[in-house]
Amino acid sequence: MANSNLPRRIIKETQRLLSEPAPGISASPSEDNMRYFNVMILGPTQSPYEGGVFKLELFLPEEYPMAAPKVRFLTKIYHPNIDKLGRICLDILKDKWSPALQIRTVLLSIQALLSAPNPDDPLSDNIAKHWKTNEAEAVETAKEWTRLYASGA
Amino acid sequence: MDSEDDMHDANDLESLDDDFYSGETAMGSDDGDAGYDFVDNESDDSEDITSHRQQQNYTILSEVDIRQHQEEDINRVSIVLSISRSAACILLRHYNWSVSKVHDEWFADEENVRKAVGLLENPVEMQNARELSCGICFENYPHNNMSTAACGHHFCGSCWRGYIGTSISDGPGCLMLRCPDPSCSAAVGQDMINILATDEDKEKYSRYLLRSYIEDNRKTKWCPAPGCDFAVEFVMGSGNYDVCCNCSYNFCWNCTEEAHRPVDCGTVAKWILKNSAESENMNWILANSKPCPKCKRPIEKNQGCMHITCTPPCKYEFCWLCLGAWSEHGERTGGFYACNRYESAKQEGAYDESERRREMAKNSLERYTHYYERWATNQSSRQKALADLHSMQTEKLEKLSDRQSQPESQLKFIIEAWLQIVECRRVLKWTYAYGYYLPEHEHAKRQFFEYLQGEAESGLERLHQCAEKELQVYLDAETPMKDFNDFRTKLAGLTSVTRNYFENLVRALETGLKDVGSSNSQATCSKTSSSKCLGGKSKIGKIKAGGTTSRSGGPSRSLDESNLWSCDQCTYVNPRSTNTCQMCEHRRCTT
């Protein structure tokens, strides 16, 4: 079983995630794979995603913590840095990863990304263009999508 | 220089074809100190050409040299700035190994420099706790099992090893390694690598450091020859880009293609691209094939009648001329071998477009093939000559010395001849790339270029012939031959004459043939201004304008300068005051 020789670090991180969860974030490991986490992030207040519950999956690769975790949105979301497959454009998940970062810090960064979309460094060109040309309208669409897909049903 | 610039301005043809001469030639640089001066080495005929060309505008560095230079630079910075060697190394790498840049920046704003490269001024005090938690694996370890950069972020040995190993396997970015803590920018230098990494990683790191010293430095490059470990340090602004590595590979420092003087880097890049480009294949297909009317695969008609049957599975039968179905052909259409549907349709202009394209492609392909063949032939000739030179150096010279009872030191002229041949083949080869890009409408330039190229080429052929065939006689001879000294004179003469021709060619091309076409004067072959024939000390170089159009490019070698005559044997131009050729000692024919 893959879980048998799980590094102490992962065990400790998991324990802490469960015992002291970050506000608006929950992450629990899958029962049959301790490296796979089901994640939920609440849409931050005063963002177009407010009121939404967003599901994500997070996987810790073999090299973790030397390599970054793999994270992706499962809930459809209208955001310039997230594409239709749920992939996230975030520097700490790529070249800015450091082994001193943790699952908690990654998820907090993603939550912050929802509060502050960055259309200048887009993953989805169309949404980014929309954001830059007519932000009010784009925000409306994001709210609409949140209502449609992330209403927590 | 002034006059050259004037010519440049006055010559409006020049501006039309800027495109063709763009790129970085040594144009306008002082002719005198380019390393190509074959002409002015009258005094050191015995010295071989290779060493002559290495006029110190570059240095070849072995790995040992590189490490030594790097050590010296690091030491200098370390001493001047009173910082550790490891810190000096980080600084140098940040400023692309420029010692002066490091000094300038450091003394201008030390604080900013420290911030930029991650050298903390006040290392954080070690914590006194006996046990610390590693920020990566979350385990607790005794204080002395932990390590930190100057910032005080402690991590355990195994996590450091993993962190460093990951960074090193990601590539040369490991040279800019920082503390693992995401908020910290403290640099991790070689001192820490050497304490914390595995032996394999230490070795890799040290190689990256060595490579960086060459690759990030503007003044150095690796020799591009496969498997060659030498690097070249080049002195900027010294004109000629030709570099001869210790591995004997000649290359252009600027574009790192093989040496291509006098043709500029831009032309060479275009030519190489052209040679490799699929476009030539396409041109050939276009010119020599037609698509099957049914399956559209291209068909080359290499023999036979106009009745074409496409290969299976298509098997479509059609007429090559009109591309119509063969079943419609017969007596009606004018017989099997003359499709009058094609003839009449052609007259009506129905086939014109595709036919014209085919025709054009064919012409341009033929033109390209013409130059390419000559380029490639000289390339292989050069390879052959290199091999011959090698066998001469390793075995034949000794044999010849034996047969002709000559000390080997007296046979250097043969090596020199072969070196000259190798070099000339290289130059000649590239002049064909040059010729290909010389615009058709520049008639005067083309004529002048082809004249110079022709002269150089025939000189080289004579030299090559002499060094290859005539020498053989003396190699085969059982006993010393009396006329060996004549042979020596002839070969040495041809070597020198050929050198002159190529010198002229090189200079003319490097100045973009700009002496042609201005005002009403045409350039003549510059051999008339060779320093030797005028008996003066002035260097060859400026092509004298003068003479008339009819003379340039003409086959006649009669030179109407009354004080010169051209030798019948070696074509060398001598002053009228002598009756024996200064080059080959052939007597002047006075008829």
Side-chain angles (χ1 to χ4, degrees):
Chain A
M1 184 98 199
N3 294 341
S4 55
N5 49 9
L6 208 62
R8 279 280 295 281
R9 155 147 179 173
I10 296 182
I11 294 168
K12 282 195 178 174
E13 270 200 77
T14 309
Q15 283 169 353
R16 240 195 289 172
L17 277 169
L18 296 172
S19 61
E20 328 158 19
I25 293 172
S26 86
S28 50
S30 151
E31 281 183 10
D32 46 277
N33 186 350
M34 293 289 284
R35 289 178 174 272
Y36 184 90
F37 288 75
N38 292 303
V39 177
M40 288 217 269
I41 296 181
L42 299 182
T45 50
Q46 303 197 336
S47 81
Y49 311 101
E50 186 173 355
V53 179
F54 296 88
K55 280 191 192 163
L56 296 90
E57 58 178 7
L58 181 148
F59 178 71
L60 305 175
E62 190 57 41
E63 303 80 25
Y64 183 82
M66 293 307 163
K70 304 196 181 309
V71 198
R72 152 179 116 86
F73 271 83
L74 296 172
T75 307
K76 223 164 134 62
I77 181 168
Y78 197 78
H79 189 289
N81 307 105
I82 300 165
D83 74 0
K84 61 181 177 190
L85 297 174
R87 294 177 299 192
I88 307 161
C89 180
L90 187 61
D91 57 358
I92 58 162
L93 292 176
K94 306 272 159 41
D95 55 314
K96 291 280 159 46
W97 170 253
S98 155
L101 290 166
Q102 303 174 24
I103 298 174
R104 175 191 303 272
T105 43
V106 166
L107 296 180
L108 283 168
S109 296
I110 293 172
Q111 194 181 40
L113 191 66
L114 296 185
S115 294
N118 177 12
D120 290 322
D121 187 13
L123 192 58
S124 166
D125 275 346
N126 289 336
I127 301 177
K129 208 180 277 171
H130 195 189
W131 223 275
K132 289 192 78 125
T133 51
N134 190 345
E135 188 172 337
E137 193 186 285
V139 166
E140 274 315 304
T141 312
K143 283 182 182 166
E144 175 75 17
W145 281 37
T146 306
R147 228 178 2 260
L148 282 173
Y149 306 111
S151 54
Chain B
M1 290 303 282
D2 284 351
S3 65
E4 280 184 20
D5 291 338
D6 291 344
M7 295 282 260
H8 193 85
D9 292 334
N11 192 348
D12 50 354
L13 285 172
E14 187 76 20
S15 60
L16 279 175
D17 54 2
D18 267 353
D19 196 23
F20 286 85
Y21 302 108
S22 62
E24 306 76 350
T25 55
M27 258 188 175
S29 68
D30 195 0
D31 299 301
D33 49 8
Y36 220 93
D37 279 343
F38 286 145
V39 180
D40 66 355
N41 64 347
E42 292 158 74
S43 55
D44 52 8
D45 271 343
S46 60
E47 194 180 295
D48 77 40
I49 294 164
T50 321
S51 69
H52 180 70
R53 244 186 295 130
Q54 281 187 10
Q55 282 177 353
Q56 306 315 314
N57 62 345
Y58 63 86
T59 320
I60 308 292
L61 305 173
S62 70
E63 192 178 320
V64 175
D65 300 331
I66 299 167
R67 290 206 188 273
Q68 195 187 334
H69 285 211
Q70 194 173 23
E71 289 294 302
E72 283 165 8
D73 287 352
I74 293 172
N75 276 337
R76 254 172 76 197
V77 168
S78 163
I79 289 165
V80 174
L81 307 188
S82 314
I83 52 178
S84 75
R85 286 176 42 82
S86 188
C89 182
I90 289 168
L91 266 178
L92 274 163
R93 209 226 52 80
H94 185 81
Y95 291 107
N96 294 330
W97 302 99
S98 163
V99 174
S100 57
K101 180 90 175 148
V102 167
H103 289 170
D104 290 353
E105 295 290 326
W106 183 269
F107 293 118
D109 190 349
E110 178 181 331
E111 195 184 340
N112 238 332
V113 170
R114 279 183 178 276
K115 217 153 103 201
V117 302
L119 293 176
L120 307 187
E121 191 151 16
N122 302 311
V124 172
E125 291 290 313
M126 282 292 186
Q127 292 170 22
N128 288 325
R130 283 174 65 201
E131 224 175 42
L132 289 170
S133 169
C134 168
I136 294 176
C137 66
F138 299 174
E139 301 281 354
N140 288 332
Y141 288 100
H143 189 277
N144 53 4
N145 283 7
M146 309 281 276
S147 300
T148 170
C151 53
H153 294 112
H154 287 80
F155 302 97
C156 74
S158 136
C159 285
W160 268 115
R161 199 154 49 245
Y163 179 66
I164 292 169
T166 307
S167 162
I168 288 176
S169 56
D170 277 352
C174 63
L175 300 180
M176 287 165 276
L177 196 63
R178 304 293 175 102
C179 165
D181 189 288
S183 63
C184 177
S185 65
V188 176
Q190 198 177 16
D191 50 351
M192 286 189 74
I193 304 285
N194 283 342
I195 294 168
L196 298 164
T198 63
D199 286 347
E200 193 187 335
D201 283 339
K202 280 181 215 168
E203 171 59 27
K204 279 189 193 159
Y205 187 91
S206 142
R207 284 230 71 85
Y208 278 130
L209 205 57
L210 181 86
R211 273 177 52 183
S212 164
Y213 187 72
I214 298 301
E215 289 163 26
D216 294 334
N217 196 328
R218 273 178 63 245
K219 290 184 290 187
T220 51
K221 280 180 187 171
W222 293 111
C223 167
C228 174
D229 289 330
F230 288 112
V232 176
E233 182 173 9
F234 194 82
V235 181
M236 293 294 195
S238 45
N240 185 359
Y241 283 127
D242 281 8
V243 167
C244 182
C245 180
N246 286 0
C247 74
S248 86
Y249 185 69
N250 280 288
F251 68 97
C252 167
W253 200 84
N254 190 42
C255 69
T256 64
E257 288 295 343
E258 63 166 346
H260 53 70
R261 208 175 115 100
V263 181
D264 64 73
C265 302
T267 305
V268 167
K270 264 196 289 186
W271 178 254
I272 288 173
L273 184 67
K274 188 165 185 63
N275 290 347
S276 64
E278 212 45 33
S279 72
E280 290 310 319
N281 285 335
M282 277 318 295
N283 264 345
W284 190 92
I285 292 169
L286 205 59
N288 297 287
S289 75
K290 293 182 183 181
C292 164
K294 189 156 171 244
C295 72
K296 308 296 176 201
R297 280 182 298 172
I299 294 173
E300 181 197 1
K301 179 172 156 27
N302 49 12
Q303 56 175 326
C305 67
M306 300 298 169
H307 178 183
I308 305 291
T309 306
C310 191
T311 49
C314 175
K315 292 198 207 162
Y316 182 66
E317 294 179 45
F318 65 97
C319 165
W320 179 255
L321 286 177
C322 74
L323 299 176
W326 192 253
S327 54
E328 294 164 13
H329 283 67
E331 291 300 327
R332 271 182 311 115
T333 59
F336 292 112
Y337 296 95
C339 174
N340 57 14
R341 287 168 50 166
Y342 173 76
E343 286 305 321
S344 54
K346 192 176 169 186
Q347 266 161 18
E348 288 160 19
Y351 290 115
D352 270 2
E353 194 41 45
S354 58
E355 279 297 310
R356 202 168 43 237
R357 264 181 56 206
R358 197 166 284 133
E359 202 51 43
M360 270 171 61
K362 202 163 180 166
N363 285 342
S364 100
L365 188 64
E366 271 167 14
R367 192 172 111 73
Y368 168 67
T369 313
H370 171 90
Y371 287 96
Y372 180 77
E373 271 175 5
R374 283 156 182 78
W375 180 83
T377 310
N378 278 295
Q379 159 90 331
S380 53
S381 274
R382 180 173 182 272
Q383 293 307 328
K384 172 78 170 47
L386 262 178
D388 287 346
L389 167 65
H390 182 72
S391 89
M392 191 59 67
Q393 281 168 324
T394 49
E395 46 165 323
K396 287 193 185 156
L397 209 63
E398 201 183 332
K399 186 174 157 196
L400 188 68
S401 151
D402 196 36
R403 293 272 161 98
Q404 300 295 333
S405 315
Q406 299 270 349
E408 274 192 45
S409 60
Q410 291 297 301
L411 297 175
K412 268 193 181 159
F413 71 98
I414 293 173
I415 299 300
E416 208 177 309
W418 278 105
L419 283 166
Q420 189 65 47
I421 291 168
V422 169
E423 172 64 9
C424 289
R425 286 286 171 207
R426 188 190 65 69
V427 172
L428 194 57
K429 172 178 116 173
W430 285 110
T431 63
Y432 281 103
Y434 184 93
Y436 179 78
Y437 290 108
L438 191 58
E440 288 287 354
H441 62 267
E442 302 245 27
H443 293 298
K445 281 192 179 184
R446 283 204 79 83
Q447 234 180 3
F448 182 47
F449 163 68
E450 280 166 13
Y451 173 71
L452 288 178
Q453 192 191 36
E455 290 288 285
E457 186 156 26
S458 59
L460 175 58
E461 293 304 336
R462 275 196 303 273
L463 173 62
H464 208 152
Q465 166 89 13
C466 184
E468 205 169 62
K469 301 274 155 40
E470 296 181 32
L471 178 63
Q472 198 58 40
V473 180
Y474 302 96
L475 267 169
D476 294 341
E478 294 297 328
T479 53
M481 289 168 76
K482 275 193 300 207
D483 57 354
F484 187 75
N485 271 337
D486 295 343
F487 172 75
R488 178 205 309 278
T489 313
K490 182 173 178 190
L491 189 63
L494 284 175
T495 305
S496 167
V497 167
T498 307
R499 184 182 297 160
N500 283 359
Y501 282 141
F502 275 82
E503 174 72 3
N504 289 342
L505 182 62
V506 164
R507 285 201 192 292
L509 298 200
E510 282 193 332
T511 51
L513 298 169
K514 73 171 145 201
D515 291 309
V516 181
S518 58
S519 68
N520 53 5
S521 69
Q522 276 307 75
T524 61
C525 175
S526 62
K527 67 179 180 241
T528 55
S529 65
S530 149
S531 58
K532 277 187 188 170
C533 39
L534 294 178
K537 280 285 171 212
S538 77
K539 282 176 186 156
I540 199 168
K542 307 290 183 290
I543 295 166
K544 284 270 164 67
T548 62
T549 320
S550 64
R551 191 145 37 77
S552 96
S556 156
R557 5 181 38 91
S558 69
L559 295 153
D560 61 4
E561 274 87 343
S562 53
N563 57 342
L564 299 170
W565 63 275
S566 167
C567 170
D568 286 340
Q569 180 173 300
C570 74
T571 72
Y572 191 78
V573 179
N574 296 281
R576 193 153 284 260
S577 53
T578 63
N579 275 331
T580 322
C581 176
Q582 291 179 333
M583 194 56 68
C584 66
E585 294 178 13
H586 182 71
R587 271 196 73 77
R588 179 180 170 194
C589 190
T590 48
T591 43

